[in-house]
């Protein structure tokens, strides 16, 4: 920890993410603040954006900031570097439409997105989610079809969801390679786990992230159709959240546990 304390502002923040992101955080810090020491290189504009974000978050953090919250902020930026390296290897170029470039006041349009991710990561106790918050920055940087307002909307939609709702979105998106259950979800679950899972699912439908929408009462009190997980599809909103958070990386065991809760 003494080494972190002596590191330059920004680098110290990213390195502190080691508690959440593992040793990869130090590698990510090196790519941002000592690029010449690595054979892997980030796009210059992307690296400058993430470096600027890390330095601003480290020099002038809102007070007080608990130590663990600081580590989560650093981990989010480390994960952004991690996925940026992957996207570059996949041939996805960093956007050149000016989103990342500083304008008046040395502030880029993307800076508010990065600041929002850092602030969200700090207050996220479910630390596996920090990974996906960082991934949002990397995905936004290579997605020229998404402007800053749309990415901001995706972040707001995502941060208002529970962890299980993120996993349910991941489950529906991978339906073609991991078939969803055909058994109808319980309409009046007795156990708390099943009740909570059904509440999360119904909320996703009401928010317009999953189709079909919640069934409406029929005239005369006719029985409602039974919803099966296999019937679910991502809506346009759901696709946006899934894409920005790179929910393809949610672990299969987490998906299996979320679906089991609906049984």
């Amino acid at each position: 920890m003494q080494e972190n304390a002596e590191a330059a502002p920004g680098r110290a923040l990213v390195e502190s993410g080691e508690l959440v992101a593992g040793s990869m955080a130090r590698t990510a810090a090196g790519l941002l603040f000592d690029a010449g020491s690595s054979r892997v290189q980030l796009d210059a504009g992307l690296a400058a954006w993430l470096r600027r974000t890390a330095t601003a978050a480290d020099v002038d953090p809102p007070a007080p900031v608990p130590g663990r919250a600081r580590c989560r902020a650093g981990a989010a930026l480390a994960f952004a570097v991690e996925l940026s390296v992957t996207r570059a290897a996949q041939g996805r170029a960093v956007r050149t439409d000016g989103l990342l470039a500083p304008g008046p006041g040395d502030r880029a349009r993307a800076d508010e997105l990065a600041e929002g991710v850092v602030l969200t990561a700090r207050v996220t106790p479910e630390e596996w989610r920090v990974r996906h918050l960082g991934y949002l920055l990397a995905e936004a940087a290579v997605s020229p079809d998404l402007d800053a307002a749309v990415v901001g909307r995706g972040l707001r939609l995502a941060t208002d969801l529970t962890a299980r709702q993120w996993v349910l979105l991941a489950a529906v998106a991978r339906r073609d390679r991991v078939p969803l259950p055909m058994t109808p979800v319980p309409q009046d679950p007795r156990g708390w786990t099943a009740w909570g899972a059904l509440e999360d699912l119904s909320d996703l439908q009401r928010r317009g992230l999953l189709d079909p929408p919640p069934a409406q009462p029929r005239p005369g009190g006719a029985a409602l159709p039974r919803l099966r997980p296999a019937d679910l599809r991502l809506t346009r909103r759901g696709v946006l959240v899934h894409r920005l958070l790179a929910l393809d990386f949610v672990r299969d065991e987490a998906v299996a546990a979320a679906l089991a809760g609906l049984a």
Side-chain angles (χ1 to χ4, degrees):
M1 299 303 291
Q2 183 66 25
E3 182 180 345
N4 277 357
E6 295 175 355
R11 179 168 189 158
L13 178 72
V14 178
E15 289 181 345
S16 76
E18 186 173 12
L19 285 177
V20 176
S23 60
M24 178 274 297
R26 289 186 175 272
T27 303
L31 283 174
L32 290 180
F33 291 91
D34 187 18
S37 65
S38 174
R39 289 177 297 177
V40 178
Q41 297 292 310
L42 289 177
D43 173 87
L46 172 64
W49 171 47
L50 295 176
R51 195 163 50 243
R52 190 168 64 246
T53 299
T55 301
D58 208 12
V59 170
D60 190 25
V65 178
R68 194 76 185 188
R70 184 173 186 273
C71 295
R72 289 194 288 265
L77 295 172
F79 282 124
V81 172
E82 178 193 46
L83 188 60
S84 293
V85 171
T86 299
R87 292 298 187 237
Q90 293 170 339
R92 295 187 63 185
V94 173
R95 58 198 300 169
T96 58
D97 56 1
L99 181 74
L100 308 182
D106 290 329
R107 187 166 174 83
R109 286 178 290 159
D111 286 357
E112 63 185 52
L113 298 175
E115 184 178 344
V117 164
V118 168
L119 292 173
T120 302
R122 281 185 175 133
V123 298
T124 300
E126 295 153 312
E127 291 182 342
W128 70 267
R129 301 220 266 180
V130 171
R131 178 190 191 199
H132 296 277
L133 290 169
Y135 285 177
L136 180 146
L137 296 180
E139 189 63 29
V142 295
S143 299
D145 59 323
L146 302 178
D147 62 23
V150 171
V151 176
R153 175 177 289 276
L155 176 60
R156 289 191 297 274
L157 285 170
T159 54
D160 203 27
L161 300 176
T162 68
R164 178 162 46 199
Q165 287 176 315
W166 284 21
V167 179
L168 287 173
L169 291 176
V172 174
R174 63 185 67 173
R175 52 176 296 118
D176 291 338
R177 61 184 177 87
V178 183
L180 295 171
M182 298 290 291
T183 305
V185 299
Q187 294 180 308
D188 186 22
R190 296 183 179 275
W192 284 112
T193 297
W195 176 84
L198 183 58
E199 287 289 299
D200 279 342
L201 174 59
S202 299
D203 186 55
L204 287 172
Q205 293 176 280
R206 287 191 296 268
R207 290 173 182 269
L209 292 161
L210 287 181
D211 272 337
Q216 298 300 316
R218 293 180 171 180
L224 296 176
R226 299 290 301 277
L227 177 68
R228 304 173 304 172
D231 298 327
L232 297 168
R233 301 286 190 281
L234 293 179
T235 64
R236 193 173 182 86
R237 282 184 174 188
V239 168
L240 175 65
V241 172
H242 182 275
R243 172 181 169 184
L244 284 175
L245 295 177
L247 293 179
D248 278 336
F249 290 99
V250 171
R251 294 180 174 84
D252 286 341
E253 55 266 31
V255 169
L259 294 175
L262 293 173

